[in-house]
Amino acid sequence: MNSTSENHNRYTGLIARYPDRLPVKSEAQVISLGEGATPLIRLQNIPGLLESEVEIFVKYEGLNPTGSFKDRGMTVAVTAAVQTGSQSIICASTGNTSAAAAAYAARAGIVSFVIIPEGKIALGKLAQAMMHGAKVIQIEGNFDDGMRLVKQVSQEAPVTLVNSVNPNRIEGQKTAAFEIVEDLGRAPDFHCLPVGNAGNITAYWRGYQEYFNDQLTETRPTMVGYQASGAAPFVSDEMIDRPETIATAIRIGHPQSWDQAKSAKEESGGWFAPRTDDQILEVQKLLAGREGIFCEPASAVSLAGAIHDIKNGHIPSGSKVVCTLTGHGLKDPDTAISQCGEKPVTVKPELDAIKEIILRGME
Ligand SMILES: *Cc1c(COP(=O)(O)O)cnc(C)c1O
């Protein structure tokens, strides 16, 4: 007999919606927070600035339970871990993986260990990992150092690795492509996304291929991966040792899904391209100010890249473009506030003072 709360748990979230497409048992214990089913939002104001007849949609993954697409992979990875009897999980993280791992572990009643680069994780993400009770280990090193360590330790200690080298993560994340095809009634012409560790571009490509049963090549999108100029190993086609960017979620020099991401690009006829930190922040602000959509800096690189490639004609007029906005803007309040020049004004709590500001503001 199912109680109401069990029903709720069972019939929301990705595993409930795509039981035949995911490698876990949906009739056994499922660890879900109702992830997925995020909105695909058509941009209304930005396309008009581009002198091109493109339709741009954003897949707003910041609206997942912990504020990033990592939840899609984590529901499958943690469900599989629990179903096979694991008592603890571990990941290296630039922030969002740790937030998701911590939340899903809390939900499952198991222990999470997260390794993060000291001082290089956005405030909101750290707050999440701590609130959800993760054992947070900061290292005097970067994400790539953390990745090397968690791969080693998960071989030697009884802990399940939940980075995207865990195939269950990719499986969960591919469902975003299913949702896009369901919403558009077809695949987009171009799918643009930020590339860090490269699990997500791998997952989307798999999702599109599976949805169309590995046939009908013309129905799949061209995959375009954008990176921050200071952390762009796919652009230079070689791994780098000291990645640097304000977009901390993609501050990665040794991507784990290297071969898969390159195949996605090649098989789809796509490309990789860089955007500078300034260009990324400009588009983050444009999206927030012109469309009412707040994403974190790493997410904005997808739209920054798409805008550039629309202007230069690599993405032709008439195209349908989807950009994945990987994480919510509230994750990184420091970066957001620091790029807003106009600070709030302070006045006396009096009618005239407020009126004066309104009248001045309307001019
Ligand atoms: C994890 C993450 C990325 C990068 O995704 P990969 O799968 O590592 O390429 C981009 N943006 C945000 C906000 C992320 O959390």
Side-chain angles (χ1 to χ4, degrees), residues 3 6-7 25 49 114 122 134 153 181 228 285:
S3 73
E6 268 170 5
N7 273 330
K25 298 197 245 355
L49 309 172
V114 306
V153 80
V181 177
K285 211 168 169 195

Side-chain angles (χ1 to χ4, degrees), residues 68-70 94 96-97 125 164 169 173 194-201 249-250 252 296 298-299 326-327:
S68 86
F69 74 84
K70 301 298 198 302
T94 59
N96 281 331
T97 303
K125 305 175 187 181
S164 56
R169 280 278 311 279
Q173 287 167 214
V195 176
N197 215 18
N200 214 27
I201 191 168
I250 51 172
I252 294 173
E296 65 173 286
S299 311
T326 44

Side-chain angles (χ1 to χ4, degrees), residues 5-79:
S5 71
E6 268 170 5
N7 273 330
H8 182 73
N9 186 35
R10 189 156 290 184
Y11 294 111
T12 62
L14 297 180
I15 297 172
R17 284 213 327 271
Y18 299 107
D20 303 334
R21 298 203 184 246
L22 294 171
V24 286
K25 298 197 245 355
S26 57
E27 60 285 355
Q29 189 190 5
V30 168
I31 310 302
S32 170
L33 291 165
E35 60 293 313
T38 54
L40 186 69
I41 307 171
R42 187 172 187 272
L43 298 189
Q44 280 177 353
N45 302 315
I46 293 175
L49 309 172
L50 304 181
E51 294 170 11
S52 170
E53 293 298 315
V54 283
E55 264 190 292
I56 309 176
F57 298 83
V58 294
K59 181 69 169 159
Y60 195 13
E61 289 288 278
L63 295 189
N64 276 295
T66 78
S68 86
F69 74 84
K70 301 298 198 302
D71 295 345
R72 292 181 186 273
M74 210 54 76
T75 183
V76 181
V78 174
T79 295

Side-chain angles (χ1 to χ4, degrees), residues 327-349:
H328 202 289
L330 289 172
K331 293 273 193 174
D332 191 354
D334 297 321
T335 306
I337 289 173
S338 70
Q339 63 160 316
C340 295
E342 201 179 320
K343 299 285 180 257
V345 288
T346 307
V347 297
K348 297 240 153 53

Side-chain angles (χ1 to χ4, degrees), residues 29-319:
Q29 189 190 5
V30 168
I31 310 302
S32 170
L33 291 165
E35 60 293 313
T38 54
L40 186 69
I41 307 171
R42 187 172 187 272
L43 298 189
Q44 280 177 353
N45 302 315
I46 293 175
L49 309 172
L50 304 181
E51 294 170 11
S52 170
E53 293 298 315
V54 283
E55 264 190 292
I56 309 176
F57 298 83
V58 294
K59 181 69 169 159
Y60 195 13
E61 289 288 278
L63 295 189
N64 276 295
T66 78
S68 86
F69 74 84
K70 301 298 198 302
D71 295 345
R72 292 181 186 273
M74 210 54 76
T75 183
V76 181
V78 174
T79 295
V82 167
Q83 289 185 359
T84 54
S86 178
Q87 292 296 315
S88 68
I89 60 175
I90 191 167
C91 64
S93 179
T94 59
N96 281 331
T97 303
S98 67
Y104 283 79
R107 179 82 163 168
I110 62 175
V111 179
S112 61
F113 298 93
V114 306
I115 297 194
I116 57 173
E118 185 186 21
K120 293 290 182 182
I121 133 166
L123 193 65
K125 305 175 187 181
L126 184 59
Q128 290 177 291
M130 292 173 71
M131 278 302 282
H132 293 305
K135 310 255 185 265
V136 180
I137 306 163
Q138 298 203 53
I139 53 167
E140 295 164 358
N142 62 24
F143 171 84
D144 299 308
D145 297 315
M147 197 62 232
R148 175 172 46 78
L149 290 164
V150 293
K151 282 191 348 196
Q152 286 166 352
V153 80
S154 62
Q155 301 284 312
E156 296 182 14
V159 61
T160 304
L161 181 59
V162 295
N163 280 104
S164 56
V165 292
N166 178 330
N168 294 311
R169 280 278 311 279
I170 307 289
E171 287 293 307
Q173 287 167 214
K174 76 186 178 187
T175 57
F178 301 165
E179 293 174 11
I180 289 168
V181 177
E182 286 161 7
D183 284 350
L184 288 178
R186 49 164 279 195
D189 299 306
F190 294 87
H191 191 117
C192 304
L193 71 172
V195 176
N197 215 18
N200 214 27
I201 191 168
T202 301
Y204 272 95
W205 183 235
R206 183 179 302 169
Y208 285 120
Q209 285 177 299
E210 280 189 20
Y211 197 93
F212 295 110
N213 283 329
D214 299 309
Q215 304 157 0
L216 301 166
T217 316
E218 71 278 11
T219 60
R220 301 181 205 154
T222 299
M223 303 297 293
V224 190
Y226 295 107
Q227 302 203 283
S229 320
F234 285 106
V235 177
S236 57
D237 201 18
E238 62 186 350
M239 308 260 189
I240 58 169
D241 285 338
R242 283 184 183 67
E244 233 8 292
T245 168
I246 194 154
T248 49
I250 51 172
R251 186 173 169 270
I252 294 173
H254 288 251
Q256 295 296 313
S257 298
W258 180 260
D259 293 338
Q260 299 93 311
K262 287 181 67 158
S263 316
K265 179 207 102 173
E266 273 149 34
E267 289 164 22
S268 74
W271 62 89
F272 295 114
R275 294 278 83 196
T276 66
D277 281 4
D278 285 348
Q279 291 163 338
I280 290 170
L281 294 179
E282 190 188 321
V283 169
Q284 183 197 16
K285 211 168 169 195
L286 184 75
L287 191 59
R290 295 292 196 118
E291 300 280 359
I293 301 169
F294 192 19
C295 68
E296 65 173 286
S299 311
V301 78
S302 61
L303 183 62
I307 287 175
H308 185 70
D309 283 330
I310 289 165
K311 285 184 174 165
N312 68 20
H314 285 152
I315 296 180
S317 193
S319 302

